[in-house]
Amino acid sequence: MFKLSRFRALSLIAPLALSVGLVAATSLPAQAVPTGPAGIDVASHQGNVNWTAVKNAGVKWAYVKATEGNYYKNPYFAQQYNGAYNVGLIRGAYTFATPNDSSGANQANYLVDNGGGWSSDGKTLPPMLDIEANPYGATCYGLSQAQMVSWLHDFVNTVHARTGRYPTIYTATSWWTQCTGNNAGFGNSALFLARWASSPGTLPASWDYLTFWQYADSGPLPPGGDQDLFNGSSAGLLAYANGHP
């Protein structure tokens, strides 16, 4: 979901867009193509979003970028996050992780303190961690596989302690395999799989099911960026928002 619009030198003033347990709210096998409620993810480069148009296009949920690392807050977050809520979408907040900058706990707290909380109001998804290839340098942020796994546990456990929910994890199978050694220890978090293809393909080892799938980086859903699906029914999406697998 990540789209790099500036080099790191400029990231404090104009950074990025979104680039990832519970298991999915359906019993479909992981390789099945989801056909559930459509969603989108947005960040600062989308600017002020016309949420009425988004809803009218059939979108049911959204993830909104709140933070990056411990140094950046999306200046459009309030319009995007509250706007989605105001038209009746289920929405959640996410952070783009930079594990080379600070600890997992530090970045988790920064997310929760800047819009990434959770409540069982039927409209709020648990916060999400966007963890993927480093757009600024080494793919795995200079961390060993063991160090990355430790960083991830630090983030996940902090979010759980702060919100009562395990964060959704947005990632790609290739990155997860390379940078965590295909670690299988994060099944308490729901998987948001990034794979721009006709099917989800092989999942990372932590998951038997995917909950969300980003299947394209552009398409007809407004505002024209990432195209996403929930793996289940509308009732399943609501149940996941409210904390029920």
Side-chain angles (χ1 to χ4, degrees):
M1 291 183 176
F2 179 91
K3 294 179 177 62
L4 182 62
S5 59
R6 298 288 188 273
F7 292 105
R8 185 56 183 271
L10 298 181
S11 68
L12 293 181
I13 56 173
L16 353 150
L18 171 68
S19 74
V20 277
L22 293 162
V23 298
T26 98
S27 59
L28 292 175
Q31 291 75 21
V33 176
T35 58
I40 60 171
D41 54 87
V42 296
S44 62
H45 77 277
Q46 271 90 23
N48 290 321
V49 174
N50 182 341
W51 288 106
T52 299
V54 170
K55 181 180 181 180
N56 289 343
V59 172
K60 303 298 185 184
W61 59 272
Y63 263 110
V64 177
K65 183 173 182 179
T67 61
E68 178 178 319
N70 66 353
Y71 53 81
Y72 170 77
K73 293 182 283 188
N74 174 10
Y76 294 95
F77 178 76
Q79 191 277 340
Q80 294 173 347
Y81 190 75
N82 296 331
Y85 178 92
N86 289 338
V87 299
L89 270 62
I90 298 174
R91 83 289 187 250
Y94 79 89
T95 189
F96 183 83
T98 54
N100 55 312
D101 286 336
S102 59
S103 70
N106 178 271
Q107 295 188 28
N109 283 319
Y110 192 69
L111 170 61
V112 174
D113 290 342
N114 291 284
W118 175 78
S119 62
S120 57
D121 59 359
K123 292 292 184 67
T124 307
L125 295 167
M128 183 168 73
L129 172 66
D130 176 358
I131 185 75
E132 58 180 290
N134 181 8
Y136 307 121
T139 297
C140 300
Y141 299 85
L143 275 63
S144 69
Q145 291 175 346
Q147 288 171 328
M148 185 64 74
V149 168
S150 178
W151 191 97
L152 287 164
H153 279 302
D154 197 27
F155 184 98
V156 166
N157 292 336
T158 301
V159 168
H160 184 258
R162 290 285 309 273
T163 69
R165 295 296 302 274
Y166 287 100
T168 303
I169 295 179
Y170 171 97
T171 196
T173 300
S174 57
W175 184 91
W176 192 264
T177 300
Q178 178 180 349
C179 297
T180 76
N182 207 17
N183 190 274
F186 292 88
N188 285 330
S189 285
L191 173 65
F192 195 141
L193 182 72
R195 186 170 192 262
W196 302 339
S198 59
S199 66
T202 302
L203 303 186
S206 284
W207 296 279
D208 294 325
Y209 302 95
L210 77 162
T211 302
F212 302 96
W213 178 34
Q214 184 182 90
Y215 60 89
D217 65 341
S218 63
L221 296 178
D226 297 328
Q227 311 283 290
D228 308 323
L229 288 171
F230 176 76
N231 187 13
S233 64
S234 294
L237 175 63
L238 179 60
Y240 177 62
N242 282 331
H244 305 292

